[in-house]
Amino acid sequence: MTQSVTRQVRQAIMVQLYTHASFSLPCLVLLAISWSLLFHDYLPAREALGWLGLICLLLLGRWWHLRWRAPRLAQLPLVMLERELFIGVTITSIVWALGVLLYMDKLPDTYRAAMMMLSSLILTGSAIMLFGSRRTLYGAVLPLGLAMLFELGGGNEQERIVSCMLAGYLFVFLPTLLRRLRRDQVASLYHRFSNADLVAELKAVSEHLKLTSRLDGLTGIANRAHLDDCLARAWRRCQRARAPLSLVLVDVDYFKQFNDHYGHQLGDQCLQEVAGLLAEVLRREDDLAARYGGEEFALLLPCTSQQGAVQIAEQVRAALRALGIPHQQSRVSGRVSCSFGVATLVPDQSGSIAELIQKADAALYQAKHNGRDRIEAALMGKVA
């Protein structure tokens, strides 16, 4: 087991033990009252009421302690929780053993058998509920079990035979059975938590792969595939709302010359800085900056008019100028610049995404044809 899974298994077992202990306390109170009512004729009232009051006070104290501990089980050390539970069940078992010693000698044979049945019921119930902790289990079983063996061993021949059978049950059969139950419990919890950890890890890997499949490996912004997906969703949404949808294509001017002069490493760095600038300019959650291919980028602007898209393009252009990346091979400026093609449509049944892209591409071509480092907006189609 890994350390984390082992901790989870032990924590789950401890929570289960405390849950079982809380469940058993009302049952033990009812059993103690039944015990006293059944055998009250054979013990002085003072002793009977004293024992009943002691066991009820003890069970009430344990119930309060378990309720107080329940919200803090995950924060407390497991060793301390197990020690507290061990002390509680051991004291309870000692008080039950005291009841056996008080009543047993004074009961006729018929009632002695009834007391043995009740005591065996307590032993079996304790074993079933507390097998998750060996120490706690023995603390619950041994005091009462030894008291029963002591009383039966001093009785008649039949009771001595029963005491031998009880000893075999307590010290051979029960430990073997409970060891098997505990092993199965630990294995079941281990597989459950291991599978949960595996599912969580696979989910994290899946989310990571899903995220990386949407991003461009070089620039860290959205890639072409994610742009196409978002463009399709934005088209449908704007079509339902009858709202404008704008697309801005951005091309780094004379980037091939930049690469040839400065080298591919600085060329990649240039693209990363341009991509970061595009992502910073966009403020709305639905807006998207993506790498379109090579040195081309795209800005997807749902519910944005042509005027708004041009303003955003101007912001990018001004920010890029302020960034001031040197470009000695540029024919329009000594700094890196970009050309922008803006297209805006109100999506309807007669239009298409391909038409929007074509118009933005045509506007970008016009910007490059007119001298680069400029913004051109397409005037074809339904302009918002």
Side-chain angles (χ1 to χ4, degrees), residues 299-357:
L299 299 177
L300 178 61
L301 307 171
C303 302
T304 303
S305 65
Q306 185 181 79
Q307 181 181 0
V310 171
Q311 289 177 352
I312 291 175
E314 286 286 3
Q315 293 176 20
V316 174
R317 185 164 173 261
L320 185 60
R321 187 183 304 113
L323 191 61
I325 303 174
H327 188 356
Q328 297 181 6
Q329 300 300 310
S330 174
R331 299 176 186 175
V332 293
S333 171
R335 306 290 180 181
V336 169
S337 60
C338 289
S339 300
F340 301 83
V342 179
T344 303
L345 288 178
V346 177
D348 57 16
Q349 296 294 336
S350 63
S352 66
I353 295 175
E355 181 182 357
L356 178 64
I357 296 174

Side-chain angles (χ1 to χ4, degrees), residues 185-242:
Q185 179 194 39
V186 171
S188 175
L189 289 172
Y190 171 73
H191 287 303
R192 190 180 87 186
F193 288 117
S194 295
N195 290 338
D197 285 352
L198 179 60
V199 169
E201 184 177 348
L202 290 175
K203 185 177 180 180
V205 171
S206 176
E207 290 294 332
H208 176 70
L209 291 175
K210 187 176 180 180
L211 179 63
T212 55
S213 69
R214 298 174 177 176
L215 301 181
D216 177 65
L218 175 63
T219 61
I221 62 174
N223 57 21
R224 176 68 180 272
H226 187 44
L227 171 66
D228 292 341
D229 181 59
C230 290
L231 182 54
R233 285 190 279 114
W235 180 275
R236 292 191 296 269
R237 188 169 74 251
C238 290
Q239 184 176 1
R240 288 193 300 267
R242 298 181 180 179

Side-chain angles (χ1 to χ4, degrees), residues 20 44 96 107 111 171 185 210 221 303 331 364 368:
H20 288 170
W96 280 109
L107 296 177
Y111 284 95
F171 300 113
Q185 179 194 39
K210 187 176 180 180
I221 62 174
C303 302
R331 299 176 186 175
L364 176 61
K368 294 163 72 173

Side-chain angles (χ1 to χ4, degrees), residues 134-329:
R134 186 180 295 107
R135 182 171 67 166
T136 304
L137 171 63
Y138 287 133
V141 170
L142 285 182
L144 179 56
L146 291 175
M148 292 172 62
L149 290 176
F150 176 78
E151 290 293 338
L152 290 172
N156 57 39
E157 184 177 355
Q158 289 181 339
E159 289 181 345
R160 287 195 293 271
I161 294 173
V162 172
S163 70
C164 293
M165 296 173 62
L166 181 60
Y169 173 75
L170 288 177
F171 300 113
V172 179
F173 174 75
L174 199 57
T176 303
L177 174 64
L178 297 179
R179 191 181 303 115
R180 177 64 180 270
L181 288 175
R182 178 174 171 79
R183 185 167 64 245
D184 292 344
Q185 179 194 39
V186 171
S188 175
L189 289 172
Y190 171 73
H191 287 303
R192 190 180 87 186
F193 288 117
S194 295
N195 290 338
D197 285 352
L198 179 60
V199 169
E201 184 177 348
L202 290 175
K203 185 177 180 180
V205 171
S206 176
E207 290 294 332
H208 176 70
L209 291 175
K210 187 176 180 180
L211 179 63
T212 55
S213 69
R214 298 174 177 176
L215 301 181
D216 177 65
L218 175 63
T219 61
I221 62 174
N223 57 21
R224 176 68 180 272
H226 187 44
L227 171 66
D228 292 341
D229 181 59
C230 290
L231 182 54
R233 285 190 279 114
W235 180 275
R236 292 191 296 269
R237 188 169 74 251
C238 290
Q239 184 176 1
R240 288 193 300 267
R242 298 181 180 179
L245 175 63
S246 294
L247 179 67
V248 181
L249 293 184
V250 184
D251 183 81
V252 181
D253 295 329
Y254 300 108
F255 184 72
K256 182 179 182 303
Q257 289 80 356
F258 185 96
N259 254 345
D260 293 341
H261 182 75
Y262 295 101
H264 290 283
Q265 185 173 356
L266 288 180
D268 291 345
Q269 184 177 340
C270 172
L271 293 178
Q272 291 169 350
E273 293 188 35
V274 172
L277 187 148
L278 293 174
E280 288 179 5
V281 168
L282 300 182
R283 301 297 182 187
R284 300 185 307 176
E285 184 178 355
D286 291 339
D287 294 343
L288 181 72
R291 189 179 182 190
Y292 197 69
E295 67 271 21
E296 289 189 359
F297 298 90
L299 299 177
L300 178 61
L301 307 171
C303 302
T304 303
S305 65
Q306 185 181 79
Q307 181 181 0
V310 171
Q311 289 177 352
I312 291 175
E314 286 286 3
Q315 293 176 20
V316 174
R317 185 164 173 261
L320 185 60
R321 187 183 304 113
L323 191 61
I325 303 174
H327 188 356
Q328 297 181 6
Q329 300 300 310

